[in-house]
Each structure stands twice: as C-alpha cells, then as structure tokens.
Amino acid sequence: MSLLEDSWEQREETIYPSLFGNSGQGIYPLDASLFKNQFGVDDLDPRWLHYGVFKFPPTNERNTWLYVSSGMSNTWESEEPQEYSGFGTEFILETEYEADWAINALRSLIAFNILVSVGHYGEKPLVDYGDRIPMAVEPNISTLMVVKPRQFQESFKLISGLVDILQVTGITEQELIYAKEHGSDDLAAKIFEARGTYTLKSDRASVI
C-alpha cells in the first residue's frame, strides 16, 4: 500500500482505538450538500468526501462521548514522511451524552478547515489553538473555541508525520467578550479551573 493508505489505516485502526476506545460504528463522512448549503461551494475535490467524524461511546476510563475527526492528517500530497502529516491536526469534541449536533458541528468545522486550506478564505490560516469560530449550539453556546487538550494526549505520531489534537469546546456570549479582551488561553484556563473539563455542554452557565 501507499504511505497515504498505510497511515490512514494506522490512524483509524490502531491509534484511535488505543486513544479513544472502540467506535463500533462507521465514519460520518462529509458530503456535497454540506459544502453547497453551508458554504456555497459546488466545485468539490472528491478527496474532501473522505473526511469525516467518528463517534466513540464511553469507556471504563471515560464516562463521556467523544467525537473525533479523521482525514485532516491524510498525507494526500506526499509519498515521503513529513514533520507533520497532512494538515498536522485532528479535532476532538467531548459531550456528556450522545449528541447528533456534535457530529454536525465537527463536520462543519472540518469542511471550513478544508476550504481554508485551498485558499477559499484568502490567506486565512488553518484552524489552530485559540481560534474562535461562530457556531451556535443552543441554548447557551454561541461560539466554538479550540483548546489544547488536558485530559487527552496533545498529539500522536503516524508513519507519515506528527498530528496535533485540537479539542473543540463551546463558549457563551459573555465568555466570548472576555476572550476578545483577555485572549483565548486565559478564558480556557478559567473554564478548566471552574469545570475541570472541556466537555461541551450546551446548557451550562458562563464561568465569567
């Protein structure tokens, strides 16, 4: 097999089960309607439809549900290992209960990141730690924020290169105002200090 195929298999069949448990379900892939209806993009690279989200149920070590992207670390353009594989990142989003909105939120964020990577938004950089992305998760969450994991490892190594894990949490309107004034890192520290987790809970109260 190719480096792409080998690293893809390594991520989904070895790395992810070791980090997150057994999914027991297939991937929830991106589709053409997502790009068209949400982003107004009709001209798709067929490779984009191979990105998606896995849903991992609670384990003996974790009582939450975990949603994990797959595809952003695909090494589409290289047959030799690089320092970072593909975009060099994958997303995780943690919830207390099984939640279809979490799949949709991550799928949208992946699609946005893909479009950033091909210059759809000009010189905008790929999604990274500290970024805040407007996306309402009713009733209280107005924005997604990318944080460095504290309860999961920060990165993993594929044969094709390193991959950083970007955890996606949610913030309220009040927290967004605070983050604009004091920075995402400061807010992330306050959220973790107050809650002990970055689990995305849509009805939680603001920590500010």
Side-chain angles (χ1 to χ4, degrees):
M1 292 195 295
S2 66
L3 180 66
L4 170 64
E5 294 169 319
D6 288 342
S7 59
W8 195 334
E9 181 180 281
Q10 181 191 19
R11 181 182 65 240
E12 296 189 355
E13 298 188 12
T14 302
I15 300 293
Y16 279 7
S18 71
L19 292 178
F20 311 125
N22 292 315
S23 173
Q25 303 181 43
I27 195 168
Y28 296 85
L30 276 59
D31 56 55
S33 64
L34 170 64
F35 287 96
K36 180 174 182 178
N37 296 337
Q38 189 165 344
F39 299 99
V41 174
D42 291 307
D43 186 16
L44 304 185
D45 184 326
R47 296 178 296 184
W48 299 353
L49 306 184
H50 291 284
Y51 296 66
V53 176
F54 282 102
K55 176 171 62 175
F56 292 91
T59 67
N60 292 334
E61 294 77 31
R62 187 191 74 246
N63 62 2
T64 55
W65 288 79
L66 198 63
Y67 301 84
V68 184
S69 71
S70 183
M72 296 193 304
S73 56
N74 282 359
T75 179
W76 298 109
E77 308 296 340
S78 177
E79 278 300 321
E80 297 294 332
Q82 304 294 317
E83 180 181 4
Y84 283 91
S85 181
F87 294 176
T89 57
E90 295 288 357
F91 298 132
I92 63 172
L93 190 160
E94 189 178 17
T95 62
E96 291 183 333
Y97 307 104
E98 187 175 9
D100 287 344
W101 59 257
I103 297 172
N104 295 330
L106 267 197
R107 289 171 74 245
S108 294
L109 192 55
I110 295 166
F112 171 73
N113 211 28
I114 291 171
L115 294 174
V116 168
S117 76
V118 297
H120 185 75
Y121 296 101
E123 298 300 316
K124 188 175 182 65
L126 292 170
V127 174
D128 204 351
Y129 299 123
D131 284 355
R132 302 183 296 266
I133 301 98
M135 190 181 298
V137 180
E138 298 297 345
N140 289 350
I141 299 303
S142 66
T143 303
L144 301 182
M145 187 171 77
V146 181
V147 298
K148 186 172 290 189
R150 294 205 188 188
Q151 295 170 301
F152 302 93
Q153 68 182 55
E154 296 178 6
S155 63
F156 59 89
K157 187 73 163 57
L158 295 175
I159 56 174
S160 50
L162 188 66
V163 183
D164 288 334
I165 295 176
L166 277 56
Q167 185 159 3
V168 179
T169 192
I171 60 175
T172 66
E173 283 285 356
Q174 298 97 311
E175 290 166 349
L176 176 60
I177 293 169
Y178 181 91
K180 289 178 178 178
E181 296 176 355
H182 301 278
S184 295
D185 289 346
D186 192 325
L187 175 60
K190 286 187 176 298
I191 291 173
F192 198 85
E193 180 181 357
R195 303 185 64 239
T197 180
Y198 287 130
T199 300
L200 203 167
K201 187 177 180 182
S202 61
D203 61 351
R204 72 169 177 83
S206 176
V207 303
I208 303 299

